[in-house]
Amino acid sequence: MSRNWEPRAEKRRTRDGEGARWDVLRDEVLERDEFTCKRCGYEQPQRGEPERRLEAHYTLAHGTPSLEDAERLVTLCGPCHATLHADDPAYGDLRKEAPMFPQPEAPASVATMRSERQHVCQRCQHVAESARELAAYTENGSPYVLCKPCAGALLDAGYDPDAFEVAGDIDVETLEERADEAPVRPVMLASGPVRAARPPRTAFERVVYDTPLRYLLNPIGFTLLFIVLGVAASFYLF
């Protein structure tokens, strides 16, 4: 059965329980999940101080969990839990410490990206319907979301493979093979660090992007061309 890799988190926002009964339920769920975050795979060490607190997340959007609802709860570390409660100020900026993507085997109820706004390629503006379509490039601590073809184009342009992240293990060769699917040049609104162009591959791309025609064969060029033609036609007709 295919998993729901919807990258936006708004459909998964829920409210969790509190009190003595909730503490008992939480301990039961953490033990069942072997003290492992089911979104990122973080394992709480048996000895020493843990780096992250483990919490139980209730996957239903309404209601209060009972002792019979253990199958509806899942173990998450604090940062990953924060990605499911993006509008809860109690979590602050904790979600920034979570991985951008969930691990491939994450349950569908928690297989979301770090933020519901991080589903648009910042090089070509492609809107992804699944986190599997995306990669992320990090520069100076800031992540930039990319569709996989655009990630391949940047890798092909010489970007550092260690700065990229995908859902699962990154396969540089597979991403580079998809570079041809990316536009040769980024859109005007592309983020600065990911504005690199890829080399034209075909004769058509070379004509469009490596000759003066590139100044006409784009939205601004077409607009200016129609304005000029309109002005010329007005002089001719009137």
Side-chain angles (χ1 to χ4, degrees), residues 172-218:
V172 174
E173 291 184 0
T174 299
L175 286 177
E176 287 182 336
E177 289 173 358
R178 299 195 60 184
D180 289 355
E181 302 173 33
V184 173
R185 297 185 184 278
V187 299
M188 292 183 60
L189 297 178
S191 300
V194 295
R195 289 189 60 86
R198 69 165 177 81
R201 309 289 196 202
T202 65
F204 175 79
E205 288 182 346
R206 285 191 288 272
V207 169
V208 171
Y209 294 104
D210 277 351
T211 69
L213 282 176
R214 70 179 183 271
Y215 297 112
L216 293 177
L217 299 179
N218 62 71

Side-chain angles (χ1 to χ4, degrees), residues 6 15 47 65 91 94 99 105 149 179 186 192 196 198 226:
E6 159 68 54
R15 64 185 186 88
R47 298 179 180 178
Y91 287 93
L94 191 60
E105 60 270 22
R198 69 165 177 81
F226 277 112

Side-chain angles (χ1 to χ4, degrees), residues 93-155:
D93 293 332
L94 191 60
R95 65 179 177 177
K96 292 182 178 180
E97 301 176 18
M100 176 74 75
F101 301 99
Q103 58 181 349
E105 60 270 22
S109 58
V110 298
T112 186
M113 293 180 66
R114 187 163 62 203
S115 167
E116 69 269 21
R117 293 182 294 277
Q118 292 172 323
H119 61 280
V120 179
C121 176
Q122 292 178 259
R123 181 178 181 273
C124 73
Q125 299 298 297
H126 167 72
V127 179
E129 293 299 327
S130 168
R132 292 187 185 278
E133 301 175 31
L134 299 169
Y137 168 73
T138 299
E139 181 175 294
N140 297 325
S142 298
Y144 299 88
V145 174
L146 299 162
C147 64
K148 286 188 174 179
C150 282
L154 296 186
L155 285 165

Side-chain angles (χ1 to χ4, degrees), residues 26 35 37 39-45 49-55 76-80 94 97-99:
R26 171 187 174 275
F35 299 92
C37 174
R39 181 183 179 275
C40 73
Y42 167 77
E43 297 182 16
Q44 182 174 287
E49 188 70 21
E51 295 180 4
R52 306 177 187 176
R53 169 182 166 82
L54 291 181
E55 303 169 358
L76 295 174
C77 66
C80 285
L94 191 60
E97 301 176 18

